[in-house]
Amino acid sequence: MKILSLTTAVAAVILGTASVASAELSKIVRMDPRTQMFIDTEGRTRFFHGTNMVMKSFPWHHDVNNFVPSWSIVDKDIETLKSLNINSVRLGVHWAGVEPVRGQYNQTYLDITQGIIKKLQDNGIYTLVDQHQDVWAAQLCGHGAPLWFVKSDWVVPGHRFPYPQKAPFSVDANGVPASADCNSIDWATSYLDYAVGNAFGRLYNNYDGLGDAWAAYWKTVATNYRQLQGVMGYDLMN
Ligand SMILES: *[C@@H]1O[C@H](CO)[C@@H](O)[C@H](O)[C@H]1NC(C)=O
């Protein structure tokens, strides 16, 4: 699995802007379809110098209490971001974190991620809220969707993950393969696997209301964050 860290992955470096004082953080209101640039309330085209902030395993957010190099978002990290003139962050807000049990949203998770966005915004840094996923779910050696999403009986035994890349892996009670098996394959090639295509198809075809569940997760996230000036946009599925 590909792990991107805060310090090593620069997501969208376009141009550094003069540092924007927090009081001046203006809301991003639209994209200009002609230039494909972000426009703020003042009608200004905004430039971003950004980085990635995605925690790809439980608890699906960076540590907000203790400094952990690359994996926290405390004052020391904010100082680092500011010293690099970073004014935007792509923040992973995983479906697995928001809705660990089907139909039950984790308000603690939503509050912690909201606190992160607020902290960034107070320091002049915008947030692109990202439904992060790599190969969709843990059953497919990836992450993003909650465990309840993918079912092993969706495909016949001979076609289970990662067929045809390799013969199907043995799995635990949740249908999740061992990490040693996951590390033996190329994660990006897994997008061509039978079970992965099947899982995406179930979402897109709204099988068992899964597409509706995905939309409801986004509605919950957007409702929780709607007062935040610092949200520059929502990346519905990366
Ligand atoms: C909800 O989120 C909090 C904060 O990350 C976490 O400690 C807790 O275990 C989560 N609950 C579930 C059911 O995943």
Side-chain angles (χ1 to χ4, degrees):
M1 214 181 320
K2 187 179 58 164
I3 305 287
L4 296 177
S5 76
L6 174 64
T7 47
T8 57
V10 176
V13 180
I14 305 168
L15 257 183
T17 54
S19 59
V20 180
S22 49
E24 292 173 25
L25 194 93
S26 60
K27 197 157 176 60
I28 302 298
V29 285
R30 64 185 180 91
M31 301 286 297
D32 182 331
R34 188 179 53 85
T35 60
Q36 301 192 352
M37 299 293 283
F38 289 90
I39 310 293
D40 71 9
T41 37
E42 315 293 325
R44 298 177 297 189
T45 296
R46 300 299 302 269
F47 292 84
F48 297 100
H49 180 201
T51 190
N52 197 40
M53 230 176 88
V54 175
M55 177 59 83
K56 298 185 170 186
S57 57
F58 182 84
W60 313 105
H61 60 74
H62 280 52
D63 196 316
V64 291
N65 298 313
N66 307 296
F67 176 65
V68 184
S70 298
W71 298 114
S72 58
I73 184 67
V74 295
D75 291 348
K76 193 172 157 80
D77 300 289
I78 294 283
E79 290 315 313
T80 304
L81 292 172
K82 287 167 102 168
S83 74
L84 295 168
N85 277 326
I86 280 177
N87 67 354
S88 66
V89 153
R90 180 181 76 154
L91 179 70
V93 176
H94 283 70
W95 189 3
V98 173
E99 194 179 0
V101 178
R102 188 165 187 179
Q104 293 179 25
Y105 301 112
N106 187 343
Q107 194 59 46
T108 311
Y109 180 79
L110 288 161
D111 290 346
I112 290 172
T113 50
Q114 186 167 339
I116 293 172
I117 297 170
K118 179 85 170 52
K119 189 179 185 75
L120 291 166
Q121 125 189 337
D122 288 346
N123 287 280
I125 301 169
Y126 287 94
T127 298
L128 181 65
V129 178
D130 169 35
Q131 191 250 286
H132 202 80
Q133 62 80 31
D134 289 327
V135 208
W136 204 236
Q139 291 93 335
L140 311 167
C141 290
H143 59 86
L147 274 175
W148 53 263
F149 188 94
V150 175
K151 303 279 187 289
S152 51
D153 65 4
W154 282 352
V155 296
V156 296
H159 287 181
R160 287 181 188 162
F161 187 81
Y163 173 86
Q165 194 176 184
K166 268 190 172 182
F169 291 152
S170 42
V171 295
D172 68 12
N174 289 318
V176 178
S179 52
D181 280 336
C182 289
N183 291 335
S184 75
I185 54 171
D186 176 71
W187 75 273
T189 307
S190 303
Y191 277 108
L192 303 175
D193 292 346
Y194 191 94
V196 176
N198 180 281
F200 276 97
R202 303 256 174 188
L203 176 78
Y204 297 147
N205 293 324
N206 199 26
Y207 172 84
D208 190 26
L210 293 173
D212 292 338
W214 177 77
Y217 137 74
W218 264 121
K219 185 178 176 187
T220 302
V221 171
T223 304
N224 271 269
Y225 296 172
R226 70 180 185 277
Q227 305 293 353
L228 295 168
Q229 194 84 351
V231 172
M232 62 189 283
Y234 296 96
D235 182 0
L236 298 183
M237 193 185 298
N238 88 307

